[in-house]
Structure formats: structure tokens, C-alpha cells
Amino acid sequence: MTNNDWDECFLLHHRPHGETSLIVDVFTKKNGKMSFIAKGAKKPKSKFFGYLTPFTKLKITYTGRSELKTLTNIDRDFSESTNSLSKTSYSLLYINELLIRLLPKDAVHEDLFQLYESFLEKIHSGENIELTLRSFELDMLEMLGYGLDFENEIDKNQSIDVNKNYSFIPERGFRESKNSNFSGKDIINIRMRNLSEVSKKHLKHITQEAIHFCLDGRNLSSREIFRRIKQWFLVLEQT
């Protein structure tokens, strides 16, 4: 199969293949998550050298009949750039890892592609990283079929009451609980995406628990990176 039409994509991950080539996982607009071999990409004179960077929209063409196709052309806007060592960069790595783990191969997700593109634009424009991240997580879960029910509590199937408190059950939803300080008002604000009105701690707990359930309990490498960097900075502060 040959695809000579240009497709837009974002690089999710790459790894070495032989001495000079790379295997790249990308999120394409037309065909969802795909894998390619970029032959000779590590050579300075390669047409791919310097182009395969994450968090920047790429344009590609490719060929091949197998699941691993061959990258034939690539283009990108070099005016777009990202910081190499920052909280933002590690948050972006986290999102890329989520897409690698949760997206099925060769399934079109154009709405999610546009959501990811919008997410990057908001991050690069300086919007609040934590609220932008939480919003993306919630919308991504919904688009992939893991959406949470913010309308009704799980036992009596009654509408969430702004005057009651609830606990969160990752695989099911929200249960009325007098022992929780998570209010119905918080749940409604999340449903309406008024995230600035909700405790950041509550927001993070809900998205992390929901994502952990979707990953079947598997840990993310990016979270381990965050943990190590945090420990490193704590050591620096103590010296």
C-alpha cells in the first residue's frame, strides 16, 4: 500500500533500529497511531535528521503494506520550539506516554488529534499547565470511551446534588459519602469544565485514579521520571 498524500502527525516516541535508523510511533490525523521506520534518520545528511522532534506538528508521507510502514518524506515548521528541561516538557512526555498506552493502532481519532493539537497550543501560549493538563485528561478519557459519569451517583442513580458530598470509585463513578469532603458542586464544576473552581488536589486524584484503572494498574515511566527529578531538586536544595 502506498500513501503519497501528506498526513499531519505528532511524534509520540522513537527508538533506535540498527546503526542509523529509527522506529517512530506517531499520532496521525488521518489514521491514528502508526509506526514507521525512518531509514538512516540518525545520519546528519539524512532528510529526516533534525525533523523528528516531539510536541511539534509534522507532515509526512509513507509507504508499506505491513504494520511497520516506511517513512518517505517529512516536513515541519522550525519556528515552533519547546524547552528541553521544564515541568511543561515532562507533562508533555506524560501525555505522549498516555497516548502510546491507550490508543489502538490504526484507529482514526481525528477529534482526539485536534484536542492534542489544541492542548499543545495552549501549553505553548503559557496557559495554566495544571488546569490545561487536567482538562485534556478528562476530554481524552471521554473520547476513548473511558468517560466518567458526572451526572448521577452510582447507587441510587440520582442526580448529583450540589449540597451533598461524594467519594470517587474509579471503575464506576461517584458515591454519596458523608465522610468525603468532595462536594456535588465540585463534580458539577468538573462536568461543566469550570476547573479553576475545583481543588487541584481533588482534580488530580480523580484523573489519576481513572487513568490508573484504564491502564490496568500499569505504571507510567514518565511518573518515575517526575519522581526522580523531584528528589534530585530536593537534594540540591539541602546542599
Side-chain angles (χ1 to χ4, degrees), residues 31-217:
N31 296 292
K33 188 174 71 174
M34 303 179 73
S35 295
F36 301 98
I37 179 170
K39 295 180 178 179
K42 292 193 283 186
K43 294 181 179 180
K45 292 184 179 180
S46 167
K47 60 184 174 182
F48 304 124
F49 189 80
Y51 281 80
L52 289 164
T53 58
F55 322 131
T56 300
K57 187 162 66 175
L58 310 172
K59 295 177 68 176
I60 60 170
T61 63
Y62 57 88
T63 61
R65 295 180 178 274
S66 66
E67 183 176 321
L68 180 63
K69 295 174 173 55
T70 300
L71 200 62
T72 53
N73 292 290
I74 192 167
D75 195 12
R76 60 165 280 202
D77 184 354
F78 279 92
S79 67
E80 298 179 15
S81 61
T82 59
N83 296 323
S84 59
L85 186 62
S86 67
K87 180 180 178 181
T88 297
S89 295
Y90 288 110
S91 297
L92 293 172
L93 287 173
Y94 158 72
I95 289 299
N96 276 10
E97 188 175 2
L98 280 183
L99 293 175
I100 291 170
R101 298 284 191 93
L102 296 177
L103 276 177
K105 276 283 187 72
D106 302 318
V108 180
H109 285 284
E110 190 167 339
D111 288 344
L112 183 55
F113 183 91
Q114 292 172 347
L115 178 70
Y116 181 78
E117 184 174 10
S118 175
F119 168 75
L120 292 178
E121 290 173 354
K122 290 176 181 178
I123 294 298
H124 295 326
S125 67
E127 291 196 22
N128 183 286
I129 176 67
E130 190 162 356
L131 291 182
T132 303
L133 184 60
R134 298 288 91 84
S135 180
F136 178 87
E137 289 171 325
L138 291 165
D139 290 340
M140 177 196 67
L141 288 170
E142 186 170 334
M143 288 182 179
L144 291 176
Y146 299 109
L148 307 175
D149 184 359
F150 295 102
E151 297 279 351
N152 304 296
E153 60 88 34
I154 59 178
D155 289 331
K156 299 178 182 178
N157 199 35
Q158 295 179 340
S159 298
I160 296 295
D161 189 328
V162 68
N163 296 312
K164 294 181 178 179
N165 289 352
Y166 298 84
S167 57
F168 177 57
I169 313 299
E171 68 274 23
R172 298 184 63 192
F174 297 93
R175 170 179 288 149
E176 185 178 343
S177 173
K178 295 180 180 180
N179 297 322
S180 173
N181 60 356
F182 189 61
S183 70
K185 183 178 180 181
D186 288 331
I187 298 172
I188 293 170
N189 275 325
I190 294 175
R191 186 182 75 213
M192 302 299 293
R193 294 299 189 267
N194 298 324
L195 302 187
S196 61
E197 302 297 319
V198 183
S199 161
K200 291 181 179 180
K201 180 180 179 180
H202 287 325
L203 270 176
K204 188 173 183 179
H205 171 73
I206 287 173
T207 57
Q208 283 193 340
E209 289 295 314
I211 288 169
H212 188 69
F213 175 75
C214 295
L215 293 170
D216 295 323

